Tab-separated table of all heavy atoms in Angstrom:
chain	number	residue	atom	x	y	z
A	286	THR	N	-6.111	-2.373	0.683
A	286	THR	CA	-7.439	-2.822	0.257
A	286	THR	C	-7.467	-4.293	-0.138
A	286	THR	O	-8.529	-4.814	-0.473
A	286	THR	CB	-7.940	-1.969	-0.925
A	286	THR	OG1	-6.963	-2.015	-1.973
A	286	THR	CG2	-8.162	-0.529	-0.496
A	287	GLY	N	-6.335	-4.964	-0.121
A	287	GLY	CA	-6.267	-6.383	-0.470
A	287	GLY	C	-4.861	-6.893	-0.245
A	287	GLY	O	-3.998	-6.179	0.261
A	288	ALA	N	-4.633	-8.139	-0.628
A	288	ALA	CA	-3.306	-8.731	-0.474
A	288	ALA	C	-2.313	-7.961	-1.349
A	288	ALA	O	-2.428	-7.971	-2.575
A	288	ALA	CB	-3.333	-10.197	-0.861
A	289	ASN	N	-1.397	-7.250	-0.723
A	289	ASN	CA	-0.373	-6.457	-1.417
A	289	ASN	C	-0.945	-5.355	-2.301
A	289	ASN	O	-0.286	-4.911	-3.239
A	289	ASN	CB	0.566	-7.356	-2.222
A	289	ASN	CG	1.345	-8.289	-1.327
A	289	ASN	OD1	1.762	-7.908	-0.242
A	289	ASN	ND2	1.533	-9.512	-1.770
A	290	VAL	N	-2.159	-4.913	-2.029
A	290	VAL	CA	-2.794	-3.841	-2.810
A	290	VAL	C	-3.147	-2.689	-1.877
A	290	VAL	O	-3.758	-2.894	-0.826
A	290	VAL	CB	-4.064	-4.341	-3.529
A	290	VAL	CG1	-4.750	-3.191	-4.284
A	290	VAL	CG2	-3.748	-5.490	-4.465
A	291	TRP	N	-2.734	-1.486	-2.252
A	291	TRP	CA	-3.052	-0.264	-1.521
A	291	TRP	C	-3.739	0.710	-2.459
A	291	TRP	O	-3.436	0.738	-3.647
A	291	TRP	CB	-1.775	0.380	-0.985
A	291	TRP	CG	-1.169	-0.328	0.178
A	291	TRP	CD1	-0.516	-1.523	0.153
A	291	TRP	CD2	-1.139	0.119	1.519
A	291	TRP	NE1	-0.074	-1.848	1.404
A	291	TRP	CE2	-0.431	-0.848	2.264
A	291	TRP	CE3	-1.614	1.251	2.167
A	291	TRP	CZ2	-0.217	-0.720	3.627
A	291	TRP	CZ3	-1.387	1.388	3.526
A	291	TRP	CH2	-0.695	0.393	4.247
A	292	SER	N	-4.653	1.502	-1.915
A	292	SER	CA	-5.313	2.561	-2.683
A	292	SER	C	-5.054	3.894	-2.001
A	292	SER	O	-5.021	3.983	-0.772
A	292	SER	CB	-6.818	2.324	-2.762
A	292	SER	OG	-7.086	1.157	-3.503
A	293	GLU	N	-4.868	4.918	-2.826
A	293	GLU	CA	-4.737	6.283	-2.334
A	293	GLU	C	-6.094	6.956	-2.482
A	293	GLU	O	-6.738	6.839	-3.531
A	293	GLU	CB	-3.685	7.045	-3.142
A	293	GLU	CG	-3.502	8.476	-2.690
A	293	GLU	CD	-2.445	9.224	-3.497
A	293	GLU	OE1	-1.744	8.606	-4.327
A	293	GLU	OE2	-2.326	10.437	-3.304
A	294	TYR	N	-6.542	7.651	-1.437
A	294	TYR	CA	-7.809	8.367	-1.454
A	294	TYR	C	-7.543	9.837	-1.193
A	294	TYR	O	-6.706	10.182	-0.357
A	294	TYR	CB	-8.752	7.832	-0.373
A	294	TYR	CG	-9.173	6.403	-0.596
A	294	TYR	CD1	-8.396	5.353	-0.120
A	294	TYR	CD2	-10.337	6.098	-1.288
A	294	TYR	CE1	-8.774	4.037	-0.329
A	294	TYR	CE2	-10.717	4.784	-1.505
A	294	TYR	CZ	-9.927	3.755	-1.027
A	294	TYR	OH	-10.292	2.456	-1.233
A	295	ASP	N	-8.268	10.705	-1.902
A	295	ASP	CA	-8.111	12.136	-1.660
A	295	ASP	C	-8.915	12.533	-0.420
A	295	ASP	O	-9.558	11.689	0.218
A	295	ASP	CB	-8.480	12.959	-2.898
A	295	ASP	CG	-9.947	12.870	-3.297
A	295	ASP	OD1	-10.793	12.452	-2.470
A	295	ASP	OD2	-10.265	13.236	-4.441
A	296	ALA	N	-8.908	13.808	-0.079
A	296	ALA	CA	-9.568	14.295	1.140
A	296	ALA	C	-11.071	14.060	1.135
A	296	ALA	O	-11.681	13.919	2.191
A	296	ALA	CB	-9.261	15.777	1.347
A	297	SER	N	-11.679	13.983	-0.049
A	297	SER	CA	-13.122	13.742	-0.125
A	297	SER	C	-13.467	12.258	-0.075
A	297	SER	O	-14.637	11.896	-0.085
A	297	SER	CB	-13.698	14.366	-1.405
A	297	SER	OG	-13.256	13.625	-2.537
A	298	GLY	N	-12.449	11.394	-0.030
A	298	GLY	CA	-12.691	9.953	0.022
A	298	GLY	C	-12.717	9.275	-1.339
A	298	GLY	O	-12.980	8.086	-1.437
A	299	LYS	N	-12.414	10.034	-2.390
A	299	LYS	CA	-12.408	9.482	-3.743
A	299	LYS	C	-11.081	8.763	-3.997
A	299	LYS	O	-10.005	9.319	-3.764
A	299	LYS	CB	-12.579	10.608	-4.749
A	299	LYS	CG	-12.507	10.172	-6.190
A	299	LYS	CD	-12.583	11.369	-7.128
A	299	LYS	CE	-12.215	10.938	-8.521
A	299	LYS	NZ	-11.898	12.077	-9.375
A	300	PRO	N	-11.144	7.501	-4.487
A	300	PRO	CA	-9.893	6.802	-4.808
A	300	PRO	C	-9.192	7.469	-5.985
A	300	PRO	O	-9.824	7.851	-6.965
A	300	PRO	CB	-10.337	5.380	-5.157
A	300	PRO	CG	-11.803	5.439	-5.386
A	300	PRO	CD	-12.323	6.685	-4.742
A	301	THR	N	-7.872	7.656	-5.861
A	301	THR	CA	-7.125	8.331	-6.920
A	301	THR	C	-6.129	7.409	-7.618
A	301	THR	O	-6.020	7.448	-8.829
A	301	THR	CB	-6.397	9.568	-6.371
A	301	THR	OG1	-5.601	9.186	-5.246
A	301	THR	CG2	-7.387	10.637	-5.934
A	302	TYR	N	-5.387	6.599	-6.853
A	302	TYR	CA	-4.395	5.703	-7.450
A	302	TYR	C	-4.355	4.385	-6.703
A	302	TYR	O	-4.731	4.308	-5.531
A	302	TYR	CB	-2.985	6.323	-7.401
A	302	TYR	CG	-2.863	7.609	-8.162
A	302	TYR	CD1	-2.751	8.823	-7.505
A	302	TYR	CD2	-2.862	7.606	-9.562
A	302	TYR	CE1	-2.635	10.009	-8.202
A	302	TYR	CE2	-2.753	8.793	-10.266
A	302	TYR	CZ	-2.643	9.985	-9.587
A	302	TYR	OH	-2.536	11.162	-10.276
A	303	LYS	N	-3.882	3.352	-7.410
A	303	LYS	CA	-3.663	2.037	-6.804
A	303	LYS	C	-2.180	1.727	-6.833
A	303	LYS	O	-1.479	2.098	-7.772
A	303	LYS	CB	-4.432	0.953	-7.555
A	303	LYS	CG	-5.909	0.956	-7.287
A	303	LYS	CD	-6.508	-0.396	-7.652
A	303	LYS	CE	-7.988	-0.419	-7.368
A	303	LYS	NZ	-8.269	-0.587	-5.958
A	304	PHE	N	-1.718	1.032	-5.786
A	304	PHE	CA	-0.314	0.654	-5.661
A	304	PHE	C	-0.201	-0.814	-5.297
A	304	PHE	O	-1.102	-1.372	-4.663
A	304	PHE	CB	0.359	1.477	-4.548
A	304	PHE	CG	0.434	2.943	-4.830
A	304	PHE	CD1	-0.602	3.788	-4.465
A	304	PHE	CD2	1.535	3.487	-5.472
A	304	PHE	CE1	-0.547	5.147	-4.719
A	304	PHE	CE2	1.607	4.837	-5.736
A	304	PHE	CZ	0.563	5.668	-5.361
A	305	ARG	N	0.916	-1.386	-5.655
A	305	ARG	CA	1.257	-2.745	-5.247
A	305	ARG	C	2.305	-2.636	-4.157
A	305	ARG	O	3.307	-1.937	-4.309
A	305	ARG	CB	1.799	-3.544	-6.433
A	305	ARG	CG	2.127	-4.995	-6.113
A	305	ARG	CD	2.583	-5.745	-7.347
A	305	ARG	NE	3.737	-5.129	-8.002
A	305	ARG	CZ	5.004	-5.369	-7.674
A	305	ARG	NH1	5.302	-6.193	-6.716
A	305	ARG	NH2	5.980	-4.760	-8.327
A	306	GLU	N	2.075	-3.333	-3.046
A	306	GLU	CA	3.069	-3.358	-1.971
A	306	GLU	C	4.215	-4.266	-2.396
A	306	GLU	O	4.004	-5.420	-2.741
A	306	GLU	CB	2.441	-3.873	-0.680
A	306	GLU	CG	3.394	-3.901	0.480
A	306	GLU	CD	2.746	-4.370	1.765
A	306	GLU	OE1	1.576	-4.014	2.032
A	306	GLU	OE2	3.421	-5.098	2.511
A	307	THR	N	5.433	-3.733	-2.371
A	307	THR	CA	6.585	-4.509	-2.808
A	307	THR	C	7.444	-4.995	-1.654
A	307	THR	O	8.184	-5.969	-1.809
A	307	THR	CB	7.470	-3.689	-3.761
A	307	THR	OG1	7.891	-2.487	-3.090
A	307	THR	CG2	6.702	-3.327	-5.030
A	308	ASN	N	7.346	-4.325	-0.477
A	308	ASN	CA	8.179	-4.738	0.646
A	308	ASN	C	7.734	-4.010	1.901
A	308	ASN	O	7.042	-2.995	1.844
A	308	ASN	CB	9.652	-4.424	0.353
A	308	ASN	CG	10.607	-5.123	1.297
A	308	ASN	OD1	10.262	-6.131	1.910
A	308	ASN	ND2	11.800	-4.588	1.434
A	309	ARG	N	8.167	-4.551	3.054
A	309	ARG	CA	8.032	-3.906	4.357
A	309	ARG	C	9.308	-4.178	5.116
A	309	ARG	O	9.935	-5.216	4.940
A	309	ARG	CB	6.880	-4.491	5.171
A	309	ARG	CG	5.508	-4.111	4.678
A	309	ARG	CD	4.435	-4.693	5.585
A	309	ARG	NE	3.132	-4.423	5.010
A	309	ARG	CZ	2.104	-3.934	5.676
A	309	ARG	NH1	2.212	-3.706	6.976
A	309	ARG	NH2	0.973	-3.694	5.073
A	310	ASP	N	9.679	-3.237	5.962
A	310	ASP	CA	10.801	-3.482	6.868
A	310	ASP	C	10.433	-2.911	8.232
A	310	ASP	O	9.267	-2.600	8.483
A	310	ASP	CB	12.119	-2.931	6.309
A	310	ASP	CG	12.111	-1.432	6.092
A	310	ASP	OD1	11.338	-0.714	6.764
A	310	ASP	OD2	12.910	-0.962	5.265
A	311	ALA	N	11.395	-2.783	9.100
A	311	ALA	CA	11.123	-2.330	10.462
A	311	ALA	C	10.596	-0.903	10.524
A	311	ALA	O	10.027	-0.498	11.539
A	311	ALA	CB	12.391	-2.447	11.302
A	312	TRP	N	10.773	-0.107	9.459
A	312	TRP	CA	10.385	1.300	9.483
A	312	TRP	C	9.291	1.662	8.487
A	312	TRP	O	8.555	2.617	8.711
A	312	TRP	CB	11.589	2.201	9.158
A	312	TRP	CG	12.781	1.955	10.003
A	312	TRP	CD1	13.955	1.401	9.609
A	312	TRP	CD2	12.935	2.236	11.391
A	312	TRP	NE1	14.832	1.325	10.653
A	312	TRP	CE2	14.231	1.840	11.763
A	312	TRP	CE3	12.091	2.793	12.354
A	312	TRP	CZ2	14.707	1.975	13.063
A	312	TRP	CZ3	12.575	2.932	13.642
A	312	TRP	CH2	13.864	2.537	13.974
A	313	SER	N	9.215	0.945	7.350
A	313	SER	CA	8.428	1.451	6.221
A	313	SER	C	7.666	0.373	5.475
A	313	SER	O	7.985	-0.816	5.556
A	313	SER	CB	9.370	2.128	5.205
A	313	SER	OG	10.088	3.171	5.796
A	314	VAL	N	6.680	0.846	4.699
A	314	VAL	CA	5.982	0.043	3.696
A	314	VAL	C	6.341	0.662	2.352
A	314	VAL	O	6.300	1.883	2.187
A	314	VAL	CB	4.450	0.071	3.912
A	314	VAL	CG1	3.739	-0.722	2.839
A	314	VAL	CG2	4.092	-0.436	5.305
A	315	TYR	N	6.695	-0.175	1.370
A	315	TYR	CA	7.128	0.293	0.051
A	315	TYR	C	6.058	-0.063	-0.975
A	315	TYR	O	5.607	-1.206	-1.037
A	315	TYR	CB	8.463	-0.355	-0.322
A	315	TYR	CG	9.546	-0.020	0.674
A	315	TYR	CD1	9.757	-0.811	1.799
A	315	TYR	CD2	10.334	1.112	0.505
A	315	TYR	CE1	10.735	-0.485	2.733
A	315	TYR	CE2	11.314	1.435	1.439
A	315	TYR	CZ	11.502	0.632	2.545
A	315	TYR	OH	12.470	0.954	3.467
A	316	LEU	N	5.660	0.931	-1.768
A	316	LEU	CA	4.590	0.769	-2.749
A	316	LEU	C	5.085	1.151	-4.132
A	316	LEU	O	5.967	2.006	-4.279
A	316	LEU	CB	3.400	1.654	-2.374
A	316	LEU	CG	2.837	1.513	-0.957
A	316	LEU	CD1	1.722	2.525	-0.732
A	316	LEU	CD2	2.357	0.100	-0.697
A	317	ASN	N	4.474	0.527	-5.143
A	317	ASN	CA	4.822	0.816	-6.535
A	317	ASN	C	3.542	0.914	-7.364
A	317	ASN	O	2.625	0.108	-7.199
A	317	ASN	CB	5.718	-0.300	-7.089
A	317	ASN	CG	6.158	-0.022	-8.503
A	317	ASN	OD1	6.694	1.032	-8.804
A	317	ASN	ND2	5.931	-0.971	-9.389
A	318	ASP	N	3.490	1.896	-8.240
A	318	ASP	CA	2.416	2.018	-9.234
A	318	ASP	C	3.063	1.812	-10.590
A	318	ASP	O	3.644	2.737	-11.161
A	318	ASP	CB	1.760	3.398	-9.146
A	318	ASP	CG	0.674	3.605	-10.200
A	318	ASP	OD1	0.537	2.760	-11.107
A	318	ASP	OD2	-0.035	4.620	-10.108
A	319	PRO	N	3.005	0.567	-11.127
A	319	PRO	CA	3.698	0.293	-12.392
A	319	PRO	C	3.114	1.050	-13.583
A	319	PRO	O	3.825	1.316	-14.543
A	319	PRO	CB	3.555	-1.223	-12.562
A	319	PRO	CG	2.451	-1.638	-11.673
A	319	PRO	CD	2.348	-0.616	-10.585
A	320	SER	N	1.838	1.463	-13.519
A	320	SER	CA	1.243	2.182	-14.647
A	320	SER	C	1.862	3.570	-14.822
A	320	SER	O	1.902	4.098	-15.925
A	320	SER	CB	-0.270	2.308	-14.473
A	320	SER	OG	-0.585	3.185	-13.408
A	321	ARG	N	2.363	4.161	-13.734
A	321	ARG	CA	2.995	5.485	-13.794
A	321	ARG	C	4.481	5.418	-13.471
A	321	ARG	O	5.163	6.432	-13.501
A	321	ARG	CB	2.318	6.444	-12.801
A	321	ARG	CG	0.846	6.665	-13.070
A	321	ARG	CD	0.222	7.607	-12.052
A	321	ARG	NE	0.284	7.060	-10.701
A	321	ARG	CZ	0.498	7.781	-9.592
A	321	ARG	NH1	0.656	9.089	-9.665
A	321	ARG	NH2	0.522	7.210	-8.413
A	322	ASN	N	4.959	4.230	-13.110
A	322	ASN	CA	6.341	4.015	-12.675
A	322	ASN	C	6.689	4.947	-11.511
A	322	ASN	O	7.720	5.620	-11.497
A	322	ASN	CB	7.334	4.161	-13.823
A	322	ASN	CG	8.614	3.386	-13.543
A	322	ASN	OD1	8.690	2.617	-12.593
A	322	ASN	ND2	9.606	3.602	-14.365
A	323	VAL	N	5.786	4.939	-10.504
A	323	VAL	CA	5.915	5.762	-9.306
A	323	VAL	C	6.115	4.845	-8.110
A	323	VAL	O	5.423	3.839	-7.972
A	323	VAL	CB	4.661	6.638	-9.111
A	323	VAL	CG1	4.599	7.243	-7.724
A	323	VAL	CG2	4.598	7.716	-10.170
A	324	GLN	N	7.062	5.221	-7.240
A	324	GLN	CA	7.314	4.465	-6.036
A	324	GLN	C	7.078	5.367	-4.820
A	324	GLN	O	7.429	6.541	-4.833
A	324	GLN	CB	8.773	3.944	-5.983
A	324	GLN	CG	9.115	2.953	-7.071
A	324	GLN	CD	9.380	3.613	-8.420
A	324	GLN	OE1	10.059	4.625	-8.496
A	324	GLN	NE2	8.819	3.056	-9.484
A	325	LEU	N	6.442	4.784	-3.790
A	325	LEU	CA	6.215	5.487	-2.532
A	325	LEU	C	6.848	4.706	-1.398
A	325	LEU	O	6.905	3.481	-1.431
A	325	LEU	CB	4.725	5.637	-2.227
A	325	LEU	CG	3.874	6.469	-3.163
A	325	LEU	CD1	2.435	6.523	-2.637
A	325	LEU	CD2	4.418	7.874	-3.316
């Protein structure tokens, strides 16, 4: 949704969480939610 910003949306389209993009490589995008200390 912005520079290094990702949002998670549920099936109804409601935003649930925000993440900061921390890295990308040849296979993956890495996200972090510092408010919950969750990494995706």
Side-chain angles (χ1 to χ4, degrees):
T286 55
N289 296 322
V290 177
W291 286 72
S292 294
E293 180 180 353
Y294 295 87
D295 65 18
S297 70
K299 177 184 168 196
T301 53
Y302 299 107
K303 285 200 179 283
F304 295 89
R305 182 177 57 86
E306 181 178 321
T307 58
N308 194 22
R309 287 182 186 228
D310 61 25
W312 307 110
S313 302
V314 178
Y315 300 89
L316 307 177
N317 183 53
D318 177 351
S320 69
R321 299 179 297 143
N322 204 10
V323 166
Q324 296 78 43
L325 296 182

